[in-house]
């Protein structure tokens, strides 16, 4: 008498390569996420109600030379009168903005003095830089 072994066919799912696939997907999404939002300088930009809305005001430019000469829109202003002149120049503006153009050789303390002056007057200061 011949006894026959019963071999049942059982379906198996091969999961050996699943770990590799999941690793590559994770790596891909991490790379894409960092490329989508690189480290950028965040600026507060003006908001408009409509696309055709024009901004009627121009920001004021404060330039500081290497020998600490201060210019508000190309007009020379001595340092003791700088705060009063900034207040006068920004009077009547809803959101006063000053673009600060400082020479590279100035110290950080010089910039902090000007920016704290702007903070006292509630003026938004934007530091202008050059791109390489």
């Amino acid at each position: 008498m011949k006894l026959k072994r019963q071999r049942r066919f059982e379906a198996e799912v091969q999961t050996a390569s699943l770990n590799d696939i999941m690793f590559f997907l994770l790596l891909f999404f991490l790379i894409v996420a960092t490329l989508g939002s690189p480290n950028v300088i965040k600026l507060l930009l003006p908001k408009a109600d409509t696309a055709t809305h024009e901004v009627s005001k121009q920001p004021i430019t404060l330039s500081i030379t290497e020998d600490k000469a201060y210019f508000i829109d190309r007009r020379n202003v001595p340092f003791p009168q700088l705060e009063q002149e900034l207040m006068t120049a920004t009077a009547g503006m809803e959101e006063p903005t000053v673009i600060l153009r400082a020479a590279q050789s100035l110290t950080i303390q010089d910039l902090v003095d000007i920016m704290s002056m702007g903070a006292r007057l509630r003026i938004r200061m934007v530091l202008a830089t050059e791109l390489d």
Side-chain angles (χ1 to χ4, degrees), residues 36-76:
S37 60
N39 295 335
V40 294
I41 299 172
K42 295 181 181 178
L43 299 175
L44 297 174
L45 299 176
K47 296 179 183 175
D49 294 335
T50 61
T52 59
H53 182 73
E54 294 181 17
V55 179
S56 61
K57 61 185 177 197
Q58 292 292 325
I60 298 166
T61 303
L62 173 62
S63 302
I64 308 170
T65 61
E66 292 177 355
D67 57 347
K68 294 184 184 179
Y70 299 90
F71 296 89
I72 297 179
D73 291 333
R74 298 182 183 172
R75 186 172 42 93
N76 193 359

Coordinates of all heavy atoms in Angstrom, one line a residue, residues 36-76:
G36 N 12.4 71.0 -0.6 CA 11.2 71.8 -0.7 C 11.2 73.0 0.1 O 10.7 74.1 -0.2
S37 N 11.8 73.0 1.3 CA 11.9 74.2 2.2 C 13.3 74.3 2.8 O 13.5 73.9 3.9 CB 10.9 74.0 3.3 OG 11.1 72.9 4.1
P38 N 14.3 74.8 2.0 CA 15.6 74.9 2.6 C 15.6 76.1 3.6 O 14.7 76.8 3.7 CB 16.4 75.3 1.3 CG 15.5 75.9 0.4 CD 14.1 75.3 0.7
N39 N 16.7 76.2 4.2 CA 16.9 77.3 5.2 C 16.8 78.6 4.4 O 17.7 78.9 3.6 CB 18.2 77.2 6.0 CG 18.2 76.0 6.8 OD1 17.2 75.5 7.2 ND2 19.4 75.5 7.1
V40 N 15.8 79.4 4.7 CA 15.7 80.7 4.0 C 15.5 81.8 5.1 O 15.1 81.5 6.2 CB 14.4 80.7 3.1 CG1 14.6 79.7 2.0 CG2 13.2 80.4 3.8
I41 N 15.7 83.0 4.6 CA 15.5 84.2 5.5 C 14.0 84.5 5.4 O 13.5 84.8 4.3 CB 16.3 85.3 5.1 CG1 17.8 85.0 5.2 CG2 16.0 86.6 5.9 CD1 18.8 86.0 4.7
K42 N 13.3 84.5 6.5 CA 11.9 84.8 6.5 C 11.7 86.3 6.6 O 12.2 86.9 7.5 CB 11.2 84.1 7.6 CG 11.2 82.6 7.4 CD 10.5 81.8 8.5 CE 10.6 80.4 8.2 NZ 10.0 79.6 9.2
L43 N 10.9 86.9 5.7 CA 10.6 88.3 5.7 C 9.1 88.5 5.9 O 8.3 87.7 5.4 CB 11.1 88.9 4.4 CG 12.6 88.9 4.1 CD1 12.8 89.4 2.7 CD2 13.4 89.6 5.1
L44 N 8.8 89.6 6.5 CA 7.4 90.0 6.6 C 7.1 90.8 5.4 O 7.5 91.9 5.2 CB 7.2 90.8 7.9 CG 7.4 90.0 9.2 CD1 7.3 91.0 10.3 CD2 6.4 88.9 9.3
L45 N 6.3 90.2 4.5 CA 6.0 90.9 3.2 C 4.6 91.6 3.3 O 3.7 91.1 4.1 CB 6.0 89.9 2.1 CG 7.3 89.3 1.8 CD1 7.2 88.2 0.7 CD2 8.4 90.3 1.4
P46 N 4.4 92.7 2.7 CA 3.1 93.3 2.7 C 2.0 92.5 2.1 O 2.3 91.7 1.1 CB 3.3 94.6 2.0 CG 4.5 94.4 1.1 CD 5.3 93.4 1.8
K47 N 0.8 92.6 2.6 CA -0.3 91.8 2.1 C -1.2 92.8 1.3 O -1.4 93.9 1.7 CB -1.1 91.2 3.2 CG -0.3 90.2 4.0 CD -1.1 89.5 5.1 CE -0.2 88.6 5.9 NZ -0.9 88.1 7.0
A48 N -1.8 92.2 0.2 CA -2.7 93.0 -0.6 C -4.0 92.4 -0.7 O -4.2 91.1 -0.6 CB -2.1 93.1 -2.0
D49 N -5.1 93.2 -0.8 CA -6.4 92.7 -0.9 C -6.7 92.0 -2.3 O -7.3 91.0 -2.4 CB -7.5 93.8 -0.6 CG -7.4 94.2 0.8 OD1 -6.9 93.5 1.7 OD2 -7.8 95.4 1.1
T50 N -6.2 92.7 -3.3 CA -6.3 92.2 -4.6 C -5.0 92.2 -5.3 O -4.0 92.7 -4.9 CB -7.3 93.1 -5.5 OG1 -6.7 94.4 -5.5 CG2 -8.7 93.2 -4.8
A51 N -4.9 91.5 -6.5 CA -3.7 91.4 -7.2 C -3.2 92.7 -7.8 O -2.1 92.9 -8.1 CB -3.8 90.3 -8.3
T52 N -4.2 93.6 -8.1 CA -3.8 94.9 -8.7 C -3.6 96.0 -7.7 O -3.4 97.1 -8.1 CB -5.0 95.3 -9.7 OG1 -6.2 95.5 -8.9 CG2 -5.2 94.3 -10.8
H53 N -3.6 95.7 -6.4 CA -3.4 96.7 -5.4 C -1.9 97.2 -5.5 O -1.0 96.4 -5.5 CB -3.7 96.1 -4.0 CG -3.5 97.0 -2.9 ND1 -4.4 98.0 -2.7 CD2 -2.6 97.2 -2.0 CE1 -4.0 98.7 -1.6 NE2 -2.9 98.2 -1.2
E54 N -1.7 98.5 -5.5 CA -0.4 99.0 -5.6 C 0.0 99.6 -4.2 O -0.9 100.3 -3.6 CB -0.3 100.1 -6.7 CG -0.5 99.5 -8.1 CD -0.4 100.6 -9.1 OE1 0.1 101.7 -8.8 OE2 -0.8 100.4 -10.2
V55 N 1.2 99.5 -3.9 CA 1.7 100.1 -2.6 C 2.1 101.5 -3.0 O 3.0 101.7 -3.8 CB 2.8 99.3 -2.0 CG1 3.4 99.9 -0.8 CG2 2.4 97.8 -1.8
S56 N 1.5 102.5 -2.3 CA 1.8 103.9 -2.6 C 3.0 104.4 -1.8 O 3.6 105.4 -2.2 CB 0.6 104.7 -2.3 OG 0.3 104.7 -0.9
K57 N 3.4 103.7 -0.8 CA 4.5 104.2 0.0 C 5.8 103.5 -0.3 O 5.8 102.4 -0.7 CB 4.2 104.1 1.5 CG 4.0 102.6 1.9 CD 3.6 102.5 3.3 CE 3.4 101.0 3.7 NZ 2.7 100.8 4.8
Q58 N 6.9 104.2 -0.2 CA 8.2 103.7 -0.5 C 8.9 103.5 0.9 O 8.8 104.4 1.7 CB 9.0 104.6 -1.4 CG 8.5 104.7 -2.8 CD 8.7 103.3 -3.5 OE1 9.7 102.7 -3.3 NE2 7.7 103.0 -4.3
P59 N 9.7 102.5 1.1 CA 10.4 102.4 2.3 C 11.6 103.4 2.4 O 12.1 103.9 1.3 CB 11.0 101.0 2.3 CG 11.0 100.6 0.8 CD 9.9 101.3 0.2
I60 N 11.9 103.8 3.5 CA 13.0 104.8 3.8 C 14.3 104.0 3.8 O 14.4 102.9 4.4 CB 12.7 105.5 5.1 CG1 11.4 106.3 4.9 CG2 13.8 106.5 5.4 CD1 10.9 106.8 6.2
T61 N 15.3 104.6 3.3 CA 16.7 104.0 3.3 C 17.6 104.7 4.2 O 17.7 105.9 4.2 CB 17.3 104.0 1.9 OG1 16.4 103.3 1.0 CG2 18.6 103.3 1.8
L62 N 18.2 103.9 5.2 CA 19.1 104.5 6.1 C 20.5 103.9 5.8 O 20.6 102.7 5.9 CB 18.7 104.2 7.5 CG 19.7 104.6 8.6 CD1 20.0 106.1 8.6 CD2 19.2 104.1 10.0
S63 N 21.4 104.7 5.3 CA 22.7 104.2 4.9 C 23.8 104.6 6.0 O 23.7 105.8 6.4 CB 23.1 104.7 3.6 OG 22.2 104.4 2.6
I64 N 24.7 103.7 6.3 CA 25.7 104.0 7.3 C 27.0 103.7 6.6 O 27.3 102.6 6.2 CB 25.6 103.2 8.6 CG1 24.2 103.4 9.1 CG2 26.6 103.7 9.6 CD1 23.9 102.4 10.3
T65 N 27.9 104.7 6.5 CA 29.2 104.5 5.8 C 30.2 103.9 6.8 O 29.9 103.8 8.0 CB 29.7 105.8 5.2 OG1 29.9 106.7 6.3 CG2 28.7 106.3 4.2
E66 N 31.4 103.6 6.3 CA 32.5 103.1 7.2 C 32.9 104.0 8.3 O 33.3 103.6 9.4 CB 33.7 102.7 6.3 CG 33.4 101.5 5.4 CD 34.6 101.2 4.5 OE1 35.6 101.9 4.6 OE2 34.4 100.1 3.8
D67 N 32.8 105.4 8.0 CA 33.2 106.3 9.0 C 32.1 106.8 9.8 O 32.1 107.9 10.4 CB 34.0 107.5 8.3 CG 33.1 108.2 7.2 OD1 32.1 107.6 6.8 OD2 33.5 109.3 6.8
K68 N 31.0 106.0 9.9 CA 29.8 106.3 10.7 C 29.1 107.6 10.3 O 28.6 108.3 11.2 CB 30.1 106.2 12.1 CG 30.5 104.8 12.6 CD 30.8 104.8 14.1 CE 31.3 103.5 14.5 NZ 31.5 103.4 15.9
A69 N 29.0 107.8 9.0 CA 28.1 108.9 8.5 C 26.8 108.4 8.2 O 26.7 107.3 7.5 CB 28.8 109.6 7.3
Y70 N 25.7 109.0 8.7 CA 24.4 108.5 8.5 C 23.6 109.3 7.5 O 23.7 110.5 7.4 CB 23.6 108.6 9.9 CG 24.3 107.7 10.9 CD1 25.3 108.3 11.8 CD2 24.0 106.4 11.1 CE1 25.9 107.6 12.7 CE2 24.6 105.7 12.1 CZ 25.5 106.2 12.9 OH 26.2 105.5 13.9
F71 N 22.9 108.5 6.6 CA 22.2 109.2 5.5 C 20.8 108.6 5.5 O 20.6 107.4 5.4 CB 22.8 108.9 4.1 CG 24.2 109.5 4.0 CD1 25.3 108.8 4.4 CD2 24.4 110.8 3.5 CE1 26.6 109.4 4.3 CE2 25.6 111.4 3.3 CZ 26.7 110.7 3.7
I72 N 19.8 109.5 5.5 CA 18.4 109.1 5.4 C 18.0 109.5 4.0 O 17.9 110.7 3.7 CB 17.5 109.7 6.4 CG1 17.8 109.2 7.8 CG2 16.0 109.4 6.1 CD1 17.0 109.8 8.9
D73 N 17.8 108.5 3.1 CA 17.4 108.8 1.7 C 18.4 109.8 1.1 O 18.0 110.8 0.5 CB 16.0 109.3 1.5 CG 15.0 108.2 1.8 OD1 15.3 107.0 1.6 OD2 13.9 108.5 2.2
R74 N 19.7 109.6 1.2 CA 20.8 110.4 0.6 C 20.9 111.7 1.3 O 21.6 112.6 0.7 CB 20.6 110.5 -0.9 CG 20.7 109.2 -1.6 CD 20.5 109.4 -3.1 NE 20.5 108.1 -3.8 CZ 20.3 108.0 -5.0 NH1 20.0 109.0 -5.8 NH2 20.3 106.8 -5.5
R75 N 20.3 111.9 2.4 CA 20.4 113.2 3.1 C 21.2 112.9 4.4 O 20.9 112.1 5.2 CB 19.1 113.8 3.5 CG 19.1 115.1 4.1 CD 17.6 115.7 4.2 NE 16.7 114.7 4.7 CZ 16.3 114.5 6.0 NH1 16.9 115.2 6.9 NH2 15.4 113.6 6.3
N76 N 22.4 113.7 4.5 CA 23.3 113.4 5.7 C 22.6 113.9 7.0 O 22.1 115.0 7.0 CB 24.6 114.2 5.5 CG 25.7 113.8 6.4 OD1 25.4 112.9 7.3 ND2 26.8 114.4 6.3

